[in-house]
Each structure stands twice: as structure tokens, then as C-alpha cells.
Amino acid sequence: MSGSAKWGDLAPRIASALVMLVISGVAIWFGGVWLLGLLALAAAGMVWECARLGGAEAGRTRDVLLPALTALMFFALGFLQSGLIVALPLVAGWSVAQSAIRLRAWVGIYAVVAVLAALMLFWMRELFGLVFVLWLVGVVIASDVMGYFAGRILGGPKFWPAISPKKTWSGTVAGWLGAALLGWALAAPLQEALMPLDFDMPLPAVLFSVLLAFAAQMGDIAESFLKRRAGIKDSSNLIPGHGGLLDRFDGLIGAALMFSFVWILV
């Protein structure tokens, strides 16, 4: 691979990432209705992309009604603090599966976990506070950035070439190291944030961060699997240099679900 081809997507990736960081950073900082609104839009977009992966026919149902109803239900039920919001992921997944003409079970399940992850992020901000969301997002970013550069600079054996041909073991391990360093740096602030809640971290911050990074990488693998099965390069073209929302946030989906899994079971 030539140098220009290797780094050709870097400029649009950086520009798009900066815009996303500003928008998401403001929403995460203020939390509440601001974060709820952003996550409602993200959930709507991811549900639309899941339907697209499933080959749902383009038109009013797929492109307007499905995402609009997802966003409205997410925002309204979250704002009202209604327990009915826990049913939203299942409703979204069922709707996607019904509209799909291929991979119906797979895209339906993926829609469920995508919306569930968005809910987990909102509840994490509400329950644990700002530092925990910044840590989770930071782990995913550190893993992604370290993996991106290490994979292109060091190369080497592929991690899972049948599903994600660009991922290397060097990038994967570099992602774990980046996450571990962030966990080490934030160990004390994370524990301090839990003191008013009378909670303890279920795992040491360094180990927890590596586990979240691994889950983020598996989230990326899962989406790559769906795209390969669907014969689609990107989930959409909503984000220049990154593809779609699922292409950008697949890692965050995996990490958010892993966080909830560890916190509940450990």
C-alpha cells in the first residue's frame, strides 16, 4: 500500500472527529435533556442504518417513519422517565427485522443492542456522572486511535482477516495499551466520583479499561461482519471519512454494553 493510500482518509477523519467531539462533548458536559436529545438522534440514525444493512426498501417507512418514531419515543420516554423506555430497543429491533429482506435476525438484534447502548450511556451520565462517560468515551477513542496508527505503521498479522481485513494484531494490542494508560490515569478520579454513591469499582480501572477496549474492538468486528454479509462497505455516508453512525460508534456500543454487563454481574 502506498503512503498516500495508507493515509488518504486521515484528513476527513480528523475533521469529522473534531466536529463530533465538539457536539458530543457539549451534550455530555451538560447532560440531561441535551444528552438525551443527541442520543435520541443517534439511536434514530443507527436504527435507520440497521434497516439499510438489512436491505429494507428505500422510502417513507425506512427513511422517515422508522428513524423519526425512534427518536421521538427515545426522547419522550427518557424525558418523562417512563419505564416503558426499556421496551424501546425491542420495538426498534422488531421493526428493523420486519422491514429487512436479508439478515433479518442479525440486523434486528443489532438494532436492539444499538438502542440499548444509547440508553446505557444516558443512564451512566445520570447515575455515575460526567467522569464516567468521559472515561468510557476516552477508552474507545484511545483504543481506536492507537489501533489506527499502530496498525498502519507497524502492520503485521491480521486480527480477523475473514471479517475485518484491515485490523492487525499490532493495532489491537496497541488499543489495549492505550486504554490501560487511560484507566491508570483516571483510576483516582473514577473512585472519587463513586464515593458519594457508596460504590466501589467492580474491577481495577486498568483492567476494566482493557476489557472495555476489547469490547469496543468486538463491536467493530460485529458491525464488519454484518457489512460483509450485506455486501456494503459503510453503514451509510453520514459522516465524511468515517462512513455512518454505526461505523463510528460500533465500538462505543460494545463498550457501553460491556460496562453494564460488568457492573451488574461482577
Side-chain angles (χ1 to χ4, degrees):
M1 182 182 293
S2 67
S4 58
K6 182 183 293 188
W7 304 102
D9 62 342
L10 184 58
R13 283 176 67 92
I14 291 175
S16 297
L18 289 174
V19 172
M20 288 187 291
L21 278 174
V22 170
I23 295 173
S24 60
V26 170
I28 291 171
W29 180 269
F30 287 105
V33 67
W34 297 99
L35 182 58
L36 184 65
L38 180 63
L39 290 173
L41 293 175
M46 290 188 293
V47 166
W48 171 72
E49 289 181 351
C50 285
R52 185 174 180 270
L53 283 171
E57 182 179 358
R60 184 180 302 172
T61 298
R62 189 197 76 175
D63 300 330
V64 180
L65 293 179
L66 183 58
L69 289 175
T70 300
L72 288 173
M73 290 177 63
F74 192 109
F75 185 82
L77 294 175
F79 183 76
L80 296 173
Q81 299 294 308
S82 171
L84 291 174
I85 198 170
V86 299
L88 178 57
L90 297 177
V91 172
W94 180 85
S95 301
V96 167
Q98 291 301 305
S99 67
I101 60 173
R102 64 185 178 223
L103 306 174
R104 298 180 69 176
W106 287 109
V107 295
I109 292 171
Y110 202 73
V112 170
V113 299
V115 176
L116 184 60
L119 289 173
M120 294 299 103
L121 287 170
F122 178 67
W123 286 331
M124 184 188 302
R125 176 65 174 88
E126 293 292 292
L127 179 59
F128 296 105
L130 176 64
V131 66
F132 265 79
V133 180
L134 293 178
W135 166 58
L136 183 73
V137 174
V139 164
V140 175
I141 293 175
S143 174
D144 186 52
V145 170
M146 293 286 285
Y148 178 86
F149 284 102
R152 281 160 175 74
I153 294 172
L154 300 177
K158 302 298 183 182
F159 178 75
W160 202 334
I163 295 178
S164 186
K166 291 185 178 181
K167 280 196 175 299
T168 61
W169 271 106
S170 62
T172 300
V173 174
W176 298 344
L177 292 175
L181 287 172
L182 184 63
W184 173 78
L186 294 180
L190 289 171
Q191 191 58 54
E192 289 176 7
L194 292 176
M195 290 177 65
L197 303 174
D198 197 25
F199 289 160
D200 289 315
M201 288 284 282
L203 293 173
V206 171
L207 176 59
F208 205 168
S209 297
V210 173
L211 194 58
L212 292 177
F214 175 73
Q217 291 162 349
M218 291 301 100
D220 181 55
I221 290 290
E223 200 233 352
S224 295
F225 167 77
L226 285 179
K227 290 190 295 185
R228 277 193 166 272
R229 291 288 300 273
I232 293 177
K233 181 180 182 295
D234 296 319
S235 59
S236 74
N237 58 357
L238 290 176
I239 308 174
H242 294 271
L245 291 170
L246 290 174
D247 298 318
R248 181 62 277 163
F249 300 123
D250 49 6
L252 194 57
I253 291 171
L257 295 179
M258 178 61 76
F259 176 89
S260 304
F261 179 81
V262 170
W263 204 272
I264 291 171
L265 295 183
V266 175

